[in-house]
Amino acid sequence: MSSCMSDFGGTVQGELSEGLARLKSEHPPLREKMDGMYSLTQKIDQGIDTEENFHELIIKVKEFKGELDPHSEREEGVLFPMMGAYIGTTSGPIAVMENEHDQAKSNIGAFLDQAEVGESTTDEKKKLAELVQNAYFILTDHFNKEENVLFPMAERMLSDVEKADLLQKIKEI
């Protein structure tokens, strides 16, 4: 499914309009949080201070989710529908992006739901940490696709009026 992203080109890097640049600028701080979470999952997987690291992972995932959710809403609620008017949303790049959002959110949600239920064994904590690792891998790839394909594609596709509308709407979220 992700192979269809390459069908739309978009590898030429150019100047992004303010709204698209803002969406892209949200990625580095999210990546930094993702790297921190991934590091904790590795420690849990290796059995290093599992209780302490698992507790810290719960806190970090909640913080991350608090920043990821509005970013996702700006994309799903504004950018994707604007692009979808040109290229559709049931297949192709928008469908791929939305599916990856759903997968990452599902992994994060399942982790938080199960991690906060109560006491769990070390093996159960390792299994739960895998959900965070899955989200990490999905989002790492996802951000790369957005930056290298989707955002440049949107820059070429959207009119100046639409770009101004995009900026205004994402500021409201």
mmCIF file of all heavy atoms in Angstrom, residues 11-27:
data_model
loop_
_atom_site.group_PDB
_atom_site.id
_atom_site.type_symbol
_atom_site.label_atom_id
_atom_site.label_comp_id
_atom_site.label_asym_id
_atom_site.label_seq_id
_atom_site.Cartn_x
_atom_site.Cartn_y
_atom_site.Cartn_z
ATOM 1 N N THR A 11 9.626 14.282 -4.864
ATOM 2 C CA THR A 11 10.924 14.201 -4.214
ATOM 3 C C THR A 11 11.730 15.488 -4.351
ATOM 4 O O THR A 11 12.702 15.663 -3.650
ATOM 5 C CB THR A 11 11.751 13.026 -4.777
ATOM 6 O OG1 THR A 11 11.858 13.184 -6.183
ATOM 7 C CG2 THR A 11 11.101 11.700 -4.447
ATOM 8 N N VAL A 12 11.323 16.375 -5.231
ATOM 9 C CA VAL A 12 12.047 17.636 -5.391
ATOM 10 C C VAL A 12 11.700 18.546 -4.215
ATOM 11 O O VAL A 12 10.539 18.832 -3.961
ATOM 12 C CB VAL A 12 11.663 18.323 -6.723
ATOM 13 C CG1 VAL A 12 12.333 19.677 -6.826
ATOM 14 C CG2 VAL A 12 12.033 17.437 -7.893
ATOM 15 N N GLN A 13 12.734 18.958 -3.484
ATOM 16 C CA GLN A 13 12.515 19.799 -2.316
ATOM 17 C C GLN A 13 12.524 21.262 -2.729
ATOM 18 O O GLN A 13 13.397 21.710 -3.441
ATOM 19 C CB GLN A 13 13.593 19.550 -1.259
ATOM 20 C CG GLN A 13 13.524 18.175 -0.634
ATOM 21 C CD GLN A 13 12.241 17.923 0.148
ATOM 22 O OE1 GLN A 13 11.687 18.810 0.773
ATOM 23 N NE2 GLN A 13 11.753 16.694 0.091
ATOM 24 N N GLY A 14 11.553 21.991 -2.284
ATOM 25 C CA GLY A 14 11.488 23.416 -2.549
ATOM 26 C C GLY A 14 10.974 24.117 -1.318
ATOM 27 O O GLY A 14 10.771 23.511 -0.272
ATOM 28 N N GLU A 15 10.743 25.373 -1.464
ATOM 29 C CA GLU A 15 10.212 26.181 -0.364
ATOM 30 C C GLU A 15 8.754 25.796 -0.133
ATOM 31 O O GLU A 15 7.970 25.741 -1.070
ATOM 32 C CB GLU A 15 10.326 27.657 -0.745
ATOM 33 C CG GLU A 15 10.030 28.610 0.364
ATOM 34 C CD GLU A 15 11.129 28.693 1.401
ATOM 35 O OE1 GLU A 15 12.296 28.388 1.060
ATOM 36 O OE2 GLU A 15 10.832 29.057 2.542
ATOM 37 N N LEU A 16 8.402 25.541 1.125
ATOM 38 C CA LEU A 16 7.015 25.229 1.455
ATOM 39 C C LEU A 16 6.301 26.496 1.901
ATOM 40 O O LEU A 16 6.899 27.364 2.541
ATOM 41 C CB LEU A 16 6.946 24.191 2.579
ATOM 42 C CG LEU A 16 7.429 22.777 2.267
ATOM 43 C CD1 LEU A 16 7.369 21.908 3.519
ATOM 44 C CD2 LEU A 16 6.618 22.139 1.152
ATOM 45 N N SER A 17 5.027 26.570 1.577
ATOM 46 C CA SER A 17 4.207 27.682 2.066
ATOM 47 C C SER A 17 4.153 27.618 3.590
ATOM 48 O O SER A 17 4.498 26.603 4.199
ATOM 49 C CB SER A 17 2.803 27.591 1.469
ATOM 50 O OG SER A 17 2.206 26.358 1.837
ATOM 51 N N GLU A 18 3.699 28.708 4.202
ATOM 52 C CA GLU A 18 3.776 28.820 5.657
ATOM 53 C C GLU A 18 3.019 27.707 6.391
ATOM 54 O O GLU A 18 3.505 27.154 7.375
ATOM 55 C CB GLU A 18 3.259 30.194 6.097
ATOM 56 C CG GLU A 18 3.549 30.496 7.551
ATOM 57 C CD GLU A 18 3.126 31.895 7.974
ATOM 58 O OE1 GLU A 18 2.824 32.739 7.099
ATOM 59 O OE2 GLU A 18 3.088 32.140 9.191
ATOM 60 N N GLY A 19 1.833 27.358 5.913
ATOM 61 C CA GLY A 19 1.052 26.306 6.567
ATOM 62 C C GLY A 19 1.730 24.949 6.499
ATOM 63 O O GLY A 19 1.816 24.234 7.500
ATOM 64 N N LEU A 20 2.219 24.593 5.319
ATOM 65 C CA LEU A 20 2.913 23.314 5.150
ATOM 66 C C LEU A 20 4.228 23.312 5.932
ATOM 67 O O LEU A 20 4.590 22.297 6.537
ATOM 68 C CB LEU A 20 3.152 23.031 3.674
ATOM 69 C CG LEU A 20 1.876 22.750 2.861
ATOM 70 C CD1 LEU A 20 2.174 22.795 1.371
ATOM 71 C CD2 LEU A 20 1.266 21.419 3.261
ATOM 72 N N ALA A 21 4.921 24.439 5.928
ATOM 73 C CA ALA A 21 6.173 24.542 6.694
ATOM 74 C C ALA A 21 5.897 24.368 8.183
ATOM 75 O O ALA A 21 6.690 23.744 8.904
ATOM 76 C CB ALA A 21 6.856 25.878 6.426
ATOM 77 N N ARG A 22 4.770 24.892 8.632
ATOM 78 C CA ARG A 22 4.420 24.748 10.050
ATOM 79 C C ARG A 22 4.171 23.274 10.391
ATOM 80 O O ARG A 22 4.641 22.788 11.421
ATOM 81 C CB ARG A 22 3.199 25.596 10.373
ATOM 82 C CG ARG A 22 2.770 25.461 11.815
ATOM 83 C CD ARG A 22 1.663 26.411 12.168
ATOM 84 N NE ARG A 22 1.176 26.069 13.496
ATOM 85 C CZ ARG A 22 0.351 26.803 14.177
ATOM 86 N NH1 ARG A 22 -0.078 27.944 13.688
ATOM 87 N NH2 ARG A 22 -0.073 26.418 15.361
ATOM 88 N N LEU A 23 3.415 22.587 9.545
ATOM 89 C CA LEU A 23 3.181 21.158 9.784
ATOM 90 C C LEU A 23 4.499 20.394 9.823
ATOM 91 O O LEU A 23 4.722 19.559 10.700
ATOM 92 C CB LEU A 23 2.253 20.578 8.713
ATOM 93 C CG LEU A 23 0.792 21.027 8.762
ATOM 94 C CD1 LEU A 23 0.045 20.525 7.539
ATOM 95 C CD2 LEU A 23 0.119 20.576 10.046
ATOM 96 N N LYS A 24 5.374 20.700 8.871
ATOM 97 C CA LYS A 24 6.678 20.026 8.825
ATOM 98 C C LYS A 24 7.509 20.358 10.066
ATOM 99 O O LYS A 24 8.197 19.483 10.606
ATOM 100 C CB LYS A 24 7.430 20.439 7.556
ATOM 101 C CG LYS A 24 8.757 19.729 7.385
ATOM 102 C CD LYS A 24 9.428 20.122 6.073
ATOM 103 C CE LYS A 24 10.786 19.457 5.946
ATOM 104 N NZ LYS A 24 11.438 19.801 4.681
ATOM 105 N N SER A 25 7.422 21.591 10.545
ATOM 106 C CA SER A 25 8.226 22.004 11.711
ATOM 107 C C SER A 25 7.773 21.326 12.996
ATOM 108 O O SER A 25 8.505 21.331 13.991
ATOM 109 C CB SER A 25 8.173 23.527 11.883
ATOM 110 O OG SER A 25 6.924 23.936 12.409
ATOM 111 N N GLU A 26 6.596 20.747 12.986
ATOM 112 C CA GLU A 26 6.108 20.017 14.170
ATOM 113 C C GLU A 26 6.741 18.634 14.272
ATOM 114 O O GLU A 26 6.713 18.018 15.334
ATOM 115 C CB GLU A 26 4.580 19.912 14.121
ATOM 116 C CG GLU A 26 3.891 21.257 14.259
ATOM 117 C CD GLU A 26 2.388 21.207 14.057
ATOM 118 O OE1 GLU A 26 1.836 20.116 13.747
ATOM 119 O OE2 GLU A 26 1.741 22.257 14.205
ATOM 120 N N HIS A 27 7.330 18.155 13.197
ATOM 121 C CA HIS A 27 7.913 16.822 13.204
ATOM 122 C C HIS A 27 9.155 16.678 14.093
ATOM 123 O O HIS A 27 9.247 15.698 14.829
ATOM 124 C CB HIS A 27 8.221 16.351 11.784
ATOM 125 C CG HIS A 27 7.002 15.986 10.997
ATOM 126 N ND1 HIS A 27 7.062 15.641 9.668
ATOM 127 C CD2 HIS A 27 5.692 15.915 11.336
ATOM 128 C CE1 HIS A 27 5.849 15.370 9.226
ATOM 129 N NE2 HIS A 27 4.989 15.540 10.218
#
